[in-house]
Amino acid sequence: MNFNITRIIYLIFFLSGAAALVFENLWFRLAELVFGNSIWGAALVLSGFMAGLALGNFLVARYGTSINRPMSVYVALEIMIGFTGMSLVLVLPVFQEILIPLYRPFLDHLAALNLVRLSVVFILLLVPTMAMGATLPVMVKCLFRIDNSFGAVLGKLYGINTVGAVTGVLLCEFLLVKYLGIANTGKVAAFFNLGAALLALQAARAMDQTPPQAGGDIGQAPTDFSLIMKNRNLLLAAFLSGGILLALEVIWFRFLLLFSFGTSKIFAIMLASVLAGIGLGGLVASVF
């Protein structure tokens, strides 16, 4: 693989991961204002965030074979994340007054109220998180052109992206919000997305001058949706694994709240710890 292109792509995915978790941390802070309860805020933001990521992944898996210029698509995705993520940071604070009349009929029915809350969060987070979820498979499709070791490519990208996410969530909680405030921190995250998009344009020009490896043509990347859906046992295992991890995150968050009143700091530390383990696992797996 071309070393310069590799470094650019890893930097792109580091910035993308950092931006995503800065936004998620900000959305959690603002969700406390909109939904009141910090535990429910954490659960709702995590659920909405993961649902959007899953949908973005699904759409690329389903329609990815029709993407002829994946790097151009990636640039558009990063710009979309920056714009919609920042818009959400600005819009969420005003939603409290708007949502009160919507919640009022369900105040005596907790299950229905929580379903409405989850639906609202999912709708609000849908566009930025769906774009975030699409970035990984689109970038894998790009990188597969110059390195046809699919497992190694996926593991390295996932690992670097997650290391960026750990950096982003800690940077947001312990530095950016403290000195810049929430709105300006959102601008920093959007700037990371813009930087990733500009670097992707540079990588695209470099890749156009690099001949594809044998067996590594973009059109041959392993994104056949029918083949993916046939591996139902693996899909079920992945589904259960993801569900267990998300449930554990909420349980750990509730447990850690017993020892601290800084809910946003606890949320950030929990996310950083989980993501650090995931990122390290992805980097280790890429070696084998």
Side-chain angles (χ1 to χ4, degrees):
M1 187 194 305
N2 185 294
F3 182 65
N4 290 328
I5 296 177
T6 304
R7 288 191 300 175
I8 293 173
I9 289 177
Y10 288 165
L11 179 57
I12 290 169
F13 244 50
F14 179 88
L15 290 174
S16 181
L21 265 294
V22 170
F23 276 134
E24 183 178 3
N25 189 271
L26 294 178
W27 296 337
F28 168 71
R29 283 173 167 268
L30 296 170
E32 288 189 275
L33 299 176
V34 178
F35 302 109
N37 186 293
S38 60
I39 295 174
W40 266 109
L44 290 170
V45 170
L46 283 172
S47 299
F49 191 86
M50 293 300 177
L53 295 184
L55 182 57
N57 272 267
F58 173 83
L59 291 175
V60 176
R62 181 67 179 87
Y63 302 106
T65 53
S66 63
I67 299 176
N68 296 320
R69 297 183 61 84
M71 194 60 84
S72 298
V73 173
Y74 183 86
V75 171
L77 288 172
E78 288 291 350
I79 293 173
M80 183 185 302
I81 293 167
F83 177 75
T84 57
M86 185 62 208
S87 298
L88 197 55
V89 170
L90 297 176
V91 167
L92 264 177
V94 305
F95 261 80
Q96 186 175 18
E97 295 299 324
I98 296 174
L99 293 176
I100 288 176
L102 178 64
Y103 293 155
R104 189 172 291 119
F106 304 99
L107 292 178
D108 295 327
H109 307 281
L110 184 59
L113 177 62
N114 290 331
L115 181 61
V116 172
R117 286 174 169 174
L118 181 60
S119 300
V120 170
V121 170
F122 178 76
I123 292 171
L124 291 175
L125 300 186
L126 179 61
V127 175
T129 57
M130 185 173 62
M132 290 174 186
T135 54
L136 178 59
V138 169
M139 185 58 81
V140 168
K141 190 176 178 69
C142 297
L143 200 52
F144 189 77
R145 180 180 185 272
I146 53 178
D147 185 350
N148 55 21
S149 302
F150 180 74
V153 168
L154 181 61
K156 289 175 183 176
L157 283 179
Y158 192 59
I160 293 294
N161 186 248
T162 310
V163 170
V166 173
T167 304
V169 70
L170 294 178
L171 192 66
C172 174
E173 182 58 37
F174 295 99
L175 185 63
L176 295 179
V177 171
K178 181 178 180 179
Y179 293 104
L180 299 180
I182 289 179
N184 286 329
T185 299
K187 294 175 184 177
V188 171
F191 179 77
F192 286 167
N193 289 124
L194 179 59
L198 293 175
L199 287 170
L201 288 174
Q202 181 181 347
R205 288 194 292 268
M207 290 175 69
D208 288 339
Q209 300 171 4
T210 303
Q213 285 193 7
D217 182 73
I218 289 177
Q220 298 177 17
T223 55
D224 190 313
F225 186 73
S226 62
L227 292 178
I228 295 172
M229 295 307 294
K230 286 180 181 178
N231 296 315
R232 293 184 179 178
N233 289 336
L234 290 177
L235 292 174
L236 178 60
F239 176 85
L240 292 175
S241 177
I244 291 169
L245 178 60
L246 193 62
L248 285 173
E249 287 189 48
V250 175
I251 292 171
W252 293 335
F253 181 66
R254 293 179 71 104
F255 179 76
L256 290 171
L257 284 178
L258 298 175
F259 303 95
S260 174
F261 294 103
T263 56
S264 61
K265 285 183 171 58
I266 290 297
F267 185 73
I269 292 171
M270 180 200 67
L271 278 180
S273 301
V274 172
L275 290 170
I278 293 173
L280 181 60
L283 292 174
V284 171
S286 69
V287 178
F288 300 100

